[in-house]
Amino acid sequence: GQYLRMTGDTAWLTTPLNGEPLLSRLHRALDYVWQHRRDPASGLLTGTHTIDWGDVELGECTQDAIYAGPGSLWTADLYDQAMLALAARPLADLHDAAGDAQAAQTWRQRADLTAAQTLAQLWQPERGYFRMHRHLNALTHPFDEDALFPMAGNAVAIQAGIADPGMAERIFAVARQRQTEYAVSTLSGVLLPPYPDNVYCHPAVNKAWHYQNGGQWGWFGTRLI
């Protein structure tokens, strides 16, 4: 989407890759996610129980923590919904540029539906930010997981247009307040407060303030700014 806006190069969309046009491949890739990675009950995308945008799964101690498997604990998480909406709208623009108004309308409708379901199920009006995820199984924690502020997912939800300007202002205020409360040196702390020690098993995140568990990630702080 960015490339097309910068160049106006619509011929690029028909570039053949192993006999199939580029745009067709982009469409099929995101359509696979829509068709096969959504929870029928909630309508939201599914992902394993990770930290905000992260790749390390709860309950797995080895490098297999970055792969879904038979023992995975599934959630519907904010970051995935935001990324889908962020991808669907530019894909609609690409279809418009290629003259396929019907496909463009389909992807805008899917982006709108994702945004509406995300607002309905993940926004916390009493706290002023989106919760990290909803569990899709019976897993519970002995603490209030929804009190953990997932900055990265919230930043991308703003970028994706899921949060309206009023919601965005509330998210910004929470980010500044948590930075001060937890004495983090920048706005880039991705989970404030972090999970307590040993909630996760993998050594990259089993301690607070390590890696995705409360660490600072400049590329998400920059998106927030």
Side-chain angles (χ1 to χ4, degrees):
Q2 292 173 341
Y3 173 80
L4 185 65
R5 284 194 297 271
M6 289 187 293
T7 67
D9 180 12
T10 56
W12 168 71
L13 298 172
T14 60
T15 301
L17 299 172
N18 291 333
E20 183 176 357
L22 171 71
L23 180 55
S24 174
R25 289 185 173 275
L26 295 175
H27 176 95
R28 288 201 304 115
L30 201 57
D31 191 59
Y32 178 87
V33 176
W34 182 264
Q35 300 293 345
H36 300 286
R37 290 294 183 266
R38 291 169 69 232
D39 172 48
S42 68
L44 296 175
L45 292 188
T46 61
T48 60
H49 190 303
T50 62
I51 300 174
D52 196 358
W53 57 277
D55 55 355
V56 178
E57 185 179 353
L58 183 72
E60 181 59 63
C61 303
T62 70
Q63 194 59 15
D64 288 340
I66 65 172
Y67 303 107
S72 291
L73 300 167
W74 292 92
T75 70
D77 69 274
L78 172 64
Y79 184 71
D80 287 353
Q81 318 315 315
M83 288 297 291
L84 176 63
L86 201 62
R89 297 190 195 283
L91 183 56
D93 293 341
L94 297 183
H95 278 297
D96 267 338
D100 191 341
Q102 183 174 355
Q105 182 182 23
T106 293
W107 283 110
R108 290 196 179 97
Q109 289 173 339
R110 289 175 174 181
D112 290 344
L113 179 59
T114 299
Q117 296 283 32
T118 303
L119 285 170
Q121 299 182 55
L122 299 181
W123 175 250
Q124 301 183 100
E126 73 284 5
R127 287 185 162 126
Y129 62 88
F130 291 95
R131 59 172 47 89
M132 182 161 33
H133 53 221
R134 283 192 178 278
H135 296 165
L136 298 179
N137 49 37
L139 175 69
T140 60
H141 295 293
F143 55 88
D144 185 1
E145 189 178 37
D146 291 343
L148 314 184
F149 173 57
M151 182 274 283
N154 276 268
V156 179
I158 296 170
Q159 287 186 305
I162 297 175
D164 65 26
M167 292 175 177
E169 288 296 338
R170 296 188 69 190
I171 292 168
F172 298 149
V174 171
R176 292 192 293 267
Q177 182 271 328
R178 295 290 172 102
Q179 178 194 2
T180 299
E181 179 180 355
Y182 293 99
V184 178
S185 59
T186 75
L187 279 172
S188 297
V190 293
L191 190 69
L192 300 176
Y195 281 97
D197 290 356
N198 301 317
V199 171
Y200 277 74
C201 180
H202 194 283
V205 292
N206 67 352
K207 300 296 182 185
W209 312 111
H210 283 62
Y211 196 43
Q212 296 145 356
N213 194 21
Q216 296 191 64
W217 293 80
W219 72 73
F220 285 113
T222 302
R223 292 186 200 189
L224 189 69
I225 290 168

